[in-house]
Amino acid sequence: MSSRLTNAAGPQEDVVKAVNLLYKSAHSAGVPDAVLELVHLRTSQINGCGPCVDAGARSLRKAGESDDRLFAVPVWRETPYFTEPERAALALSEYATRLADNPDPVPDAIWDEAAKHFTEDQLAAIVLWIATSNFFNRINVTTKQQAPMNWG
């Protein structure tokens, strides 16, 4: 398979600047990096985004994550490897990514569980990171970007 576009963002320098601002904002609210990385990985798995799954897994591994945790992300509910805050963030990422799958897209119980573990600013950052991950996923899947991505 080959990519439909060589540069999915096109020649628009403003796109790169905007994405960098989203990244900075999501990562400046005090949410542990591992939580944001897990959210990005799970969102990307759901959306079938090869480049983001590849980059997310590599980033988590580089940060010292165990193979047990990496391999268990798709089945996080059935494993003992994740903390309660991580579980709450993973559940939120699944519901916020699959909005059309449920009549109540993000049930109060899912939100309330996340709110037990994160401040309002942290929740906003997690939601922003879920949205940003979905943004990347949709561009990469639509344009058939291949893993690994050439970020240079």
Side-chain angles (χ1 to χ4, degrees), residues 42-62:
R42 184 66 189 123
T43 299
S44 300
Q45 290 170 337
I46 292 166
N47 289 325
C49 182
C52 290
V53 168
D54 181 73
R58 288 176 189 276
S59 179
L60 281 162
R61 178 171 273 160
K62 185 176 179 181

Side-chain angles (χ1 to χ4, degrees), residues 43-145:
T43 299
S44 300
Q45 290 170 337
I46 292 166
N47 289 325
C49 182
C52 290
V53 168
D54 181 73
R58 288 176 189 276
S59 179
L60 281 162
R61 178 171 273 160
K62 185 176 179 181
E65 285 294 345
S66 69
D67 285 345
D68 289 339
R69 283 173 49 94
L70 284 175
F71 297 150
V73 171
V75 293
W76 60 268
R77 286 179 180 86
E78 290 82 29
T79 67
Y81 305 126
F82 302 96
T83 67
E84 291 304 312
E86 289 169 339
R87 290 174 180 282
L90 286 164
L92 183 59
S93 71
E94 288 181 354
Y95 278 90
T97 297
R98 295 178 166 145
L99 295 174
D101 290 354
N102 299 294
D104 183 10
V106 180
D108 288 341
I110 297 298
W111 183 264
D112 293 346
E113 184 60 27
K116 288 180 189 177
H117 303 285
F118 301 101
T119 67
E120 189 167 307
D121 285 348
Q122 290 173 325
L123 283 169
I126 292 168
V127 170
L128 176 62
W129 197 238
I130 294 166
T132 302
S133 297
N134 275 287
F135 168 77
F136 279 119
N137 294 166
R138 279 152 177 74
I139 290 172
N140 288 334
V141 171
T142 299
T143 62
K144 294 188 175 184
Q145 297 301 306

Side-chain angles (χ1 to χ4, degrees), residues 6-71:
T6 305
N7 180 359
Q12 301 140 3
E13 187 176 311
D14 290 342
V15 172
V16 174
K17 288 178 185 176
V19 168
N20 286 336
L21 287 172
L22 290 170
Y23 181 92
K24 182 179 178 183
S25 180
H27 286 78
S28 66
V31 179
D33 286 342
V35 170
L36 293 175
E37 291 288 349
L38 288 168
V39 161
H40 175 70
L41 180 58
R42 184 66 189 123
T43 299
S44 300
Q45 290 170 337
I46 292 166
N47 289 325
C49 182
C52 290
V53 168
D54 181 73
R58 288 176 189 276
S59 179
L60 281 162
R61 178 171 273 160
K62 185 176 179 181
E65 285 294 345
S66 69
D67 285 345
D68 289 339
R69 283 173 49 94
L70 284 175
F71 297 150

